[in-house]
Amino acid sequence: MNLILLFFFLSLISQVPSEPILTVNPKTLSKSGDSVHIQWSGIESPSKLDWLGLYSPPDSPHHNFIGYKFLSSSSSTWESGAGSISLPLTFLRSNYTFRIFRWTESEVNPEIHDQDHNPLPGTKHLLAESETVGFELGRGPEQIHLALTGREGEMRVMFVAEDPEERQVRYGEKEGEWEGDVAVARVGRYEREDMCHAPANESVGWRDPGWIFDAVMSGLKGGVKYYYQVGSESKGWSTTRSFVSWDKSSNETIAFLFGDMGTATPYLTFSRTQDESISTIKWILRDLEALGDKPTFISHIGDISYARGYSWLWDEFFNLIEPVASKVPYHVCIGNHEYDWPSQPWKPDWANSIYGTDGGGECGVPYSLRFNMPGNSSEPTGTHAPATRNLYYSFDMGPVHFVYMSTETNFLQGSSQYDFLKHDLESVDRMKTPFVVVQGHRPMYTTSFESRDAPLREKMLEHLEPLFVNNNVNLALWGHVHRYERFCPLKNFTCGSMGQKGKDWEALPVHVVIGMAGQDWQPTWEPRPDHPHDPVYPQPKRSLYRTGEFGYTRLIATKEKLTLSLVGNHDGEVHDMVEILASGQVLNGGDDNNGKVGAVHKVDDVTRCSFSHYVWGGSVLVLGGFVGYVLGFVSHARRQIATERGWTSLKTEER
């Protein structure tokens, strides 16, 4: 009888479903970008809607995940109830934990959705939760990025750490030999109550931003390679980085310029992320390797991280750009997705349809504190939030004078920004810097179907174009439209004559839209009246070259000539080019060659010298360590899931 009972109980036990198991390895990571291996087993009747959530801090409520992955798109063995995935993690000043949920068809709620209107997964049925994953102590700060101060012999370095204890930067001409050159970093941070709108000031979007450190390396010799580390003896030092100092006497300028890049994540989240940003950084890093020890800088003209109130996306962004931003100065200007919110102080009647909720309630605060650009421009927010900074400024780099402006704050005549632009442009010494390049986020000219921004463009044409024309601005670069478009030299929508055939000519600005660095939403071109879904054909005469190609632009200038080239992300090659002489004359792309893009003159010796080994060395320079980082961050799950579920990944009109 006892034997029968034993077999009976053993039979019952064998029929009881096993509890799902979720494990992680390793439990401690050394730095941001390192991967954790996640394994699960014992899931009964697996479903395509079973999903894995990422949580930081570990005690976050179920609905406050950082991101998520569907098990069915993460592992080929998911139908067995078991599988695994490796994910790179970014340090968020807290540990991570992972949870698996069952989400049923009947519980799909299209009213609770992400930015693309894909339903967000439900958290009603928790199946398993992992142990925590943390990061090693003493590894030094992260998110290191450089910037020019505008003063000779200086370089700013900023970084993030988990506490406000004193950190320093130590630097010198020889690696590991700091020769007493140490600068103490200033420290600050922003709080949840500084945010002014949802989701930035709600628990779903807010995370601890860490402590932001800002130090200036001074006494630098011009054009010299310096090595540096940031951190402290008690908290640890970063790995050694290097940069080439600003050389005021240089007769050459090299820069990489783009807008609207954003960042990529290895998971799905509330806000659309930008996988193409990986390629942009990869090719720029190739170019930097090819340049060697030549000074250069990066210019990102608005729509920086596309965090839009989900604060961890700023951490993902700085983790993405650190390989380049810790080598060369990374300069920015403000865009709508850093700033705009309903109660912003400057919102005239004509701009009611323009300035909306694009900033996700950040109100310019993370942008203002995570960067520190030259000058002291600021505007009060009218709220508890600190004043918005980094709005307009300028600096010289070799033979080029660079000017940055804000299209999100007042630029009309009588404003402090207009006064700055007027004084700055009128004060340029054209013997010293024969070229002037102005940059801002929203374009003055575009043939994109941007009807919502039309009132703003009218104000820019009325108030700013006369300044640009009268002060012989050579090049005006804009973002916001997620395409590349180059115009003829323009004044009031009219192409100027280049005088290449003995005609009279006037030096006019060349406008170029360069918002193609990552954001994947592509607006339509100006439509045909009789075919509203097709672009005007032929394209307007003033638009000489336009493309949907992702990429960035490369600027090279001597005192005689400035060359701006479009580099495409699909192959790393030049796809368009314009050359401007110090006189203001445009060698290609003007009226006198009938707008033929093919009329590109021979690339100058400086370009050939600086990039001489691109062809034979490009493939070699696709970077061992960085490739590993890149591969971990490439995620096509959004499109796969949308296809499997029949959901449409909408490309909204939000810029």
Side-chain angles (χ1 to χ4, degrees), residues 369-628:
L369 274 74
R370 287 177 174 270
F371 295 102
N372 190 350
M373 299 292 100
N376 57 1
S377 62
S378 67
E379 291 287 347
T381 60
T383 70
H384 175 76
T388 306
R389 297 177 4 198
N390 307 320
L391 295 173
Y392 44 89
Y393 61 96
S394 66
F395 59 83
D396 293 341
M397 173 66 84
V400 182
H401 181 72
F402 291 94
V403 185
Y404 292 76
M405 66 162 290
S406 165
T407 58
E408 311 309 298
T409 55
N410 194 353
F411 56 81
L412 307 186
Q413 292 185 44
S415 68
S416 58
Q417 178 168 205
Y418 179 89
D419 292 343
F420 165 81
L421 292 172
K422 184 175 187 297
H423 178 266
D424 186 82
L425 292 174
E426 290 176 350
S427 302
V428 177
D429 182 352
R430 301 306 279 259
M431 296 297 294
K432 176 185 172 186
T433 53
F435 296 100
V436 174
V437 177
V438 175
Q439 300 168 84
H441 184 59
R442 300 183 196 244
M444 184 182 297
Y445 286 100
T446 175
T447 62
S448 169
F449 190 48
E450 284 275 336
S451 57
R452 187 177 65 179
D453 279 357
L456 181 135
R457 292 197 298 274
E458 290 174 4
K459 295 298 182 182
M460 294 175 75
L461 287 165
E462 176 186 354
H463 294 267
L464 298 181
E465 185 173 57
L467 278 183
F468 292 6
V469 172
N470 294 339
N471 290 284
N472 298 320
V473 168
N474 301 99
L475 191 60
L477 301 175
W478 313 101
H480 194 56
V481 175
H482 308 141
R483 292 178 181 258
Y484 173 89
E485 183 171 25
R486 176 171 60 84
F487 292 88
C488 64
L490 275 175
K491 181 172 71 172
N492 193 26
F493 292 92
T494 303
C495 291
S497 172
M498 293 300 92
Q500 293 177 15
K501 298 177 182 177
K503 301 178 183 177
D504 293 334
W505 66 283
E506 179 183 10
L508 297 175
V510 173
H511 291 257
V512 187
V513 177
I514 58 172
M516 67 298 174
Q519 179 57 273
D520 62 355
W521 187 88
Q522 297 289 351
T524 58
W525 300 117
E526 180 183 343
R528 305 181 204 179
D530 54 342
H531 294 83
H533 300 296
D534 298 318
V536 167
Y537 180 82
Q539 68 195 63
K541 185 179 180 181
R542 64 184 179 277
S543 175
L544 299 183
Y545 186 93
R546 63 187 190 187
T547 178
E549 168 82 13
F550 289 104
Y552 58 97
T553 59
R554 190 166 63 212
L555 183 151
I556 300 176
T558 64
K559 288 215 170 187
E560 293 75 36
K561 184 166 64 173
L562 181 152
T563 302
L564 185 77
S565 306
L566 165 66
V567 181
N569 273 359
H570 78 277
D571 60 2
E573 298 294 331
V574 172
H575 292 263
D576 182 52
M577 181 190 296
V578 63
E579 297 171 300
I580 305 172
L581 297 182
S583 62
Q585 202 168 5
V586 178
L587 296 186
N588 59 292
D591 247 8
D592 293 334
N593 60 28
N594 298 317
K596 293 180 180 177
V597 176
V600 176
H601 286 223
K602 182 177 67 174
V603 182
D604 60 25
D605 292 337
V606 172
T607 307
R608 286 204 309 273
C609 177
S610 298
F611 298 93
S612 60
H613 59 282
Y614 276 177
V615 174
W616 61 267
S619 60
V620 177
L621 293 171
V622 186
L623 321 163
F626 188 70
V627 165

Side-chain angles (χ1 to χ4, degrees), residues 133-180:
V133 175
F135 288 80
E136 290 179 359
L137 299 176
R139 68 194 178 285
E142 296 184 341
Q143 304 184 29
I144 302 168
H145 56 105
L146 302 172
L148 300 172
T149 66
R151 296 182 292 272
E152 189 174 4
E154 292 185 350
M155 181 69 76
R156 184 181 305 280
V157 58
M158 300 185 72
F159 50 92
V160 172
E162 62 271 24
D163 62 60
E165 184 176 306
E166 182 181 293
R167 264 78 168 186
Q168 304 169 337
V169 54
R170 56 189 187 186
Y171 56 100
E173 293 183 49
K174 294 182 179 180
E175 185 173 1
E177 298 182 19
W178 310 120
E179 300 174 357

Side-chain angles (χ1 to χ4, degrees), residues 53-187:
L54 290 75
Y55 292 85
S56 182
D59 60 355
S60 299
H62 287 340
H63 65 283
N64 284 1
F65 45 78
I66 294 293
Y68 61 96
K69 297 279 289 185
F70 286 99
L71 303 188
S72 58
S73 64
S74 302
S75 175
S76 60
T77 62
W78 70 273
E79 289 180 288
S80 70
S84 65
I85 182 176
S86 289
L87 287 176
L89 298 182
T90 292
F91 180 50
L92 301 179
R93 280 74 55 196
S94 180
N95 292 337
Y96 280 82
T97 191
F98 304 89
R99 304 169 198 172
I100 290 179
F101 294 90
R102 165 92 8 115
W103 185 35
T104 65
E105 295 273 357
S106 62
E107 293 170 334
V108 173
N109 184 354
E111 299 301 316
I112 304 176
H113 53 75
D114 66 12
Q115 184 195 2
D116 289 325
H117 293 245
N118 296 317
L120 288 169
T123 59
K124 187 176 180 181
H125 311 290
L126 175 66
L127 299 184
E129 184 168 2
S130 76
E131 296 180 273
T132 61
V133 175
F135 288 80
E136 290 179 359
L137 299 176
R139 68 194 178 285
E142 296 184 341
Q143 304 184 29
I144 302 168
H145 56 105
L146 302 172
L148 300 172
T149 66
R151 296 182 292 272
E152 189 174 4
E154 292 185 350
M155 181 69 76
R156 184 181 305 280
V157 58
M158 300 185 72
F159 50 92
V160 172
E162 62 271 24
D163 62 60
E165 184 176 306
E166 182 181 293
R167 264 78 168 186
Q168 304 169 337
V169 54
R170 56 189 187 186
Y171 56 100
E173 293 183 49
K174 294 182 179 180
E175 185 173 1
E177 298 182 19
W178 310 120
E179 300 174 357
D181 289 328
V182 174
V184 175
R186 179 169 55 91
V187 63

